Amino acid sequence: MDPPGPGDEGEATQPQPPEWRFAQVFGERAAGEDVQEVDIISAIEFDKSGDRLATGDKGGRVVLFERTDARDNASRRELEGQDVPVTRHPEFRYKTEFQSHEPEFDYLKSLEIEEKINKIKWCQTANNALSLLSTNDKTIKYWKVQEKKVKRIAVMNLDSSQSVGSSTTAIASTSSSKAPLPNGGCSDKFDCLNNDLSFPPGGYPSLRLPVVTSLEANPVARCRRVFAHAHDYHVNSISNNSDGETFISADDLRINLWNMEINSQSFNIVDVKPTNMEDLTEVITCAEFHPSHCNTLAYSSSKGSIRLIDLRQSALCDNHSKIFEEHEAPGSRSFFTEIIASISDIKFSRNGRYILSRDYMTLKLWDLNMNSGPVSTFQVHEHLRPKLCDLYENDSIFDKFECCLSGDGLRVATGSYGNIFRVFGCTPGSMEATTLEASRNPMRGWNPSHPIWEQSVTVGHHRPNVITGGENQGVDANGNSFDFSTKLLHLAWHPTENSIACAAANSLYMYYA
């Protein structure tokens, strides 16, 4: 299900705002504990089933988690015998981790290439193997993670009751020049192998052959393909196609189309690089494939526009099929207008009818069938507008916040400063706007007396829904000044349940409703 469009019925029956609860935390640090730069999480992604979660960090590592709660383990008889349904929240456990990227150096450009993981995308599984793509600034890697059984040799000839030291001595002694008798016997004219070993008279009647036993299976990650040397600028996005065979990678000026099986070549499908770089006014900030139409993809720009392109139109998609942008009000332009209009992230809704975009100040929900303006606008950082000069000085204005939609399309979420994130209801007329803190007490950072909601004026032929999560100027609900060094940039919504995973520095927090 996706959010109903403008004019749809059902505004009178609004869903109740969910009560968010803390579920789990991985990598929680103690009070006053310093965080290593390499441990800071830089990417989060659920797979399509929601049973697996992957995170990447600035140290180039990818960590995988798997779901462990018994949602399907209960028998039908047990479920029928329960008078009240048991509400379970998703529980995950650590599965494995591997080093995806290493720091490199481009000698031609005298440029250091960080190992930081920019994006992770799950691929289709085959033969019980997990597949995913990970990328840093320049190189994309295709990984397969498979369960491998560890084998060892058991049932040796040596008596297991003997000490390790005795066994080692015995093994070393067998390589001496003294030839033992058959079946492990020992002749009187030779010294025995070891005084600690006792042999029955006449030796052992037979030898026991070693037996190979299998222990528990352990996940092993293998890099199957490396997609490199296709981007002159930093890769900001990768996205899988619904056909399961191709994916795209985007940098500031180009979008390339790859085949999963071929890493020697890619096709350039979007190129916004001007002939003269002095004429450059716009760069690509994010790109994503449509979830079900393999010929459609969208990409956002630093000017706040979203372009929809159709791969069937031409090999090089210079011309877009649709463009989504909101024109600025007359007289509102300032030095910061283009900076805060730059879109940092876009996400398609599950059925592909809507696009959610995040710029520095707002979240916007767009209907693909209506490009005259956003369906809804959610104010996230409006209270920071008086502080844009300070944010520009400390480079915080260039922070790239991600966004996500719930699987049912009823809610959207994004992060902010002070390790908080906001959840908004996006059905017509919804007043839901919840502020949560990435901690064991998520409601600590939200004072319900502060949020203010207001409807905007009619724009064109539709009425967008504008929700403002109001705060005191520059302070949180507890009266503390915002710490712009603590920010929640990365978060992901479970594809089928009300569960959110978010990253606060090196800690992964999970919440459910």
Side-chain angles (χ1 to χ4, degrees):
M1 177 182 176
D2 276 290
D8 290 350
E9 298 296 331
E11 293 191 13
T13 57
Q14 289 297 325
Q16 291 296 322
E19 181 182 352
W20 291 94
R21 299 181 178 90
F22 169 80
Q24 287 177 281
V25 59
F26 296 94
E28 186 178 28
R29 64 182 187 274
E33 180 183 355
D34 292 333
V35 179
Q36 300 295 323
E37 183 76 13
V38 294
D39 294 332
I40 295 177
I41 297 174
S42 57
I44 302 178
E45 187 78 11
F46 280 103
D47 71 346
K48 285 187 176 181
S49 68
D51 291 338
R52 299 172 188 89
L53 178 67
T55 65
D57 61 28
K58 290 187 175 182
R61 295 168 300 220
V62 173
V63 183
L64 304 185
F65 302 88
E66 64 180 358
R67 189 164 178 169
T68 60
D69 55 300
R71 57 173 182 171
D72 296 326
N73 294 341
S75 65
R76 180 175 178 179
R77 180 174 297 179
E78 291 174 347
L79 294 175
E80 290 176 348
Q82 295 173 354
D83 296 333
V84 180
V86 178
T87 58
R88 299 187 179 96
H89 63 83
E91 293 181 2
F92 288 80
R93 69 178 178 187
Y94 169 87
K95 182 178 179 68
T96 188
E97 68 179 84
F98 55 90
Q99 189 71 33
S100 174
H101 289 73
E102 300 281 357
E104 302 175 35
F105 189 82
D106 188 338
Y107 292 97
L108 293 178
K109 298 182 179 180
S110 297
L111 182 69
E112 291 184 2
I113 303 174
E114 292 182 339
E115 65 271 32
K116 171 193 169 187
I117 304 298
N118 291 341
K119 294 289 180 180
I120 297 175
K121 293 293 179 182
W122 289 91
C123 305
Q124 294 181 356
T125 59
N127 301 324
N128 294 325
L130 306 178
S131 303
L132 51 86
L133 291 167
S134 63
T135 182
N136 64 351
D137 287 338
K138 295 290 184 181
T139 306
I140 306 159
K141 294 186 179 181
Y142 177 51
W143 292 89
K144 278 202 171 183
V145 181
Q146 211 162 7
E147 300 284 345
K148 295 288 185 180
K149 289 186 177 180
V150 179
K151 297 181 180 181
R152 72 175 183 181
I153 298 176
V155 190
M156 303 293 288
N157 278 294
L158 296 176
D159 189 354
S160 60
S161 63
Q162 298 293 336
S163 64
V164 176
S166 300
S167 300
T168 305
T169 306
I171 294 173
S173 301
T174 56
S175 61
S176 64
S177 59
K178 298 179 181 181
L181 293 179
N183 294 335
C186 182
S187 174
D188 292 336
K189 62 182 179 179
F190 294 114
D191 295 332
C192 288
L193 296 177
N194 193 301
N195 293 331
D196 295 334
L197 295 176
S198 58
F199 294 92
Y204 289 103
S206 64
L207 286 175
R208 291 177 293 175
L209 293 177
V211 177
V212 177
T213 60
S214 296
L215 300 180
E216 69 278 358
N218 293 325
V220 177
R222 293 180 57 192
C223 182
R224 301 300 300 270
R225 272 175 286 280
V226 177
F227 305 89
H229 312 300
H231 288 281
D232 293 329
Y233 305 93
H234 290 176
V235 177
N236 55 49
S237 305
I238 53 175
S239 180
N240 298 332
N241 199 344
S242 58
D243 62 9
E245 298 179 356
T246 57
F247 71 93
I248 56 171
S249 59
D251 62 21
D252 291 343
L253 299 179
R254 293 188 176 95
I255 300 177
N256 293 331
L257 178 68
W258 300 83
N259 188 294
M260 299 285 292
E261 303 295 329
I262 303 171
N263 62 351
S264 59
Q265 64 177 351
S266 63
F267 298 95
N268 178 226
I269 57 176
V270 175
D271 190 348
V272 299
K273 184 178 181 180
T275 305
N276 185 359
M277 285 296 287
E278 293 181 357
D279 299 331
L280 181 66
T281 60
E282 191 175 19
V283 297
I284 299 169
T285 57
C286 188
E288 182 160 319
F289 260 119
H290 192 280
S292 56
H293 298 165
C294 61
N295 58 285
T296 304
L297 63 93
Y299 70 92
S300 59
S301 77
S302 58
K303 281 192 171 182
S305 61
I306 303 172
R307 291 174 173 86
L308 203 66
I309 61 176
D310 191 338
L311 298 178
R312 299 171 298 185
Q313 290 181 346
S314 63
L316 185 60
C317 303
D318 290 332
N319 298 321
H320 52 267
S321 58
K322 284 186 179 181
I323 183 169
F324 304 89
E325 58 185 351
E326 190 173 30
H327 300 285
E328 62 189 56
S332 62
R333 188 169 184 82
S334 69
F335 173 78
F336 304 108
T337 299
E338 284 196 9
I339 300 177
I340 62 177
S342 177
I343 295 176
S344 57
D345 191 25
I346 59 172
K347 292 288 194 306
F348 275 98
S349 61
R350 195 170 184 184
N351 77 342
R353 180 178 171 181
Y354 295 87
I355 294 179
L356 180 68
S357 66
R358 172 72 154 98
D359 55 47
Y360 189 75
M361 304 298 287
T362 64
L363 269 176
K364 292 185 176 74
L365 188 67
W366 305 82
D367 189 337
L368 294 191
N369 299 327
M370 184 176 65
N371 58 356
S372 57
V375 176
S376 299
T377 299
F378 310 95
Q379 302 292 348
V380 181
H381 282 164
E382 188 61 30
H383 63 285
L384 297 179
R385 192 174 293 275
K387 297 182 175 295
L388 290 180
C389 289
D390 297 334
L391 294 167
Y392 180 79
E393 290 294 330
N394 61 23
D395 288 340
S396 294
I397 200 171
F398 301 105
D399 288 334
K400 307 299 182 183
F401 292 93
E402 294 181 0
C403 59
C404 58
L405 297 93
S406 61
D408 56 14
L410 298 178
R411 294 174 180 87
V412 296
T414 190
S416 182
Y417 294 105
N419 282 342
I420 67 171
F421 62 100
R422 294 188 171 92
V423 180
F424 299 95
C426 55
T427 53
S430 174
M431 296 298 178
E432 179 184 343
T434 307
T435 300
L436 305 165
E437 183 184 15
S439 65
R440 289 182 175 270
N441 182 13
M443 304 301 292
R444 182 174 60 181
W446 181 48
N447 187 337
S449 63
H450 279 303
I452 303 169
W453 303 282
E454 58 185 26
Q455 289 292 334
S456 76
V457 297
T458 302
V459 178
H461 63 276
H462 71 286
R463 176 183 291 271
N465 184 32
V466 178
I467 298 180
T468 304
E471 300 89 4
N472 290 337
Q473 299 295 322
V475 299
D476 62 14
N478 299 320
N480 302 316
S481 298
F482 278 124
D483 180 7
F484 295 112
S485 63
T486 58
K487 47 202 167 191
L488 200 151
L489 301 176
H490 311 285
L491 75 171
W493 203 303
H494 192 282
T496 59
E497 301 176 11
N498 274 341
S499 177
I500 295 178
C502 56
N506 66 324
S507 302
L508 176 67
Y509 287 91
M510 305 193 69
Y511 303 94
Y512 72 100

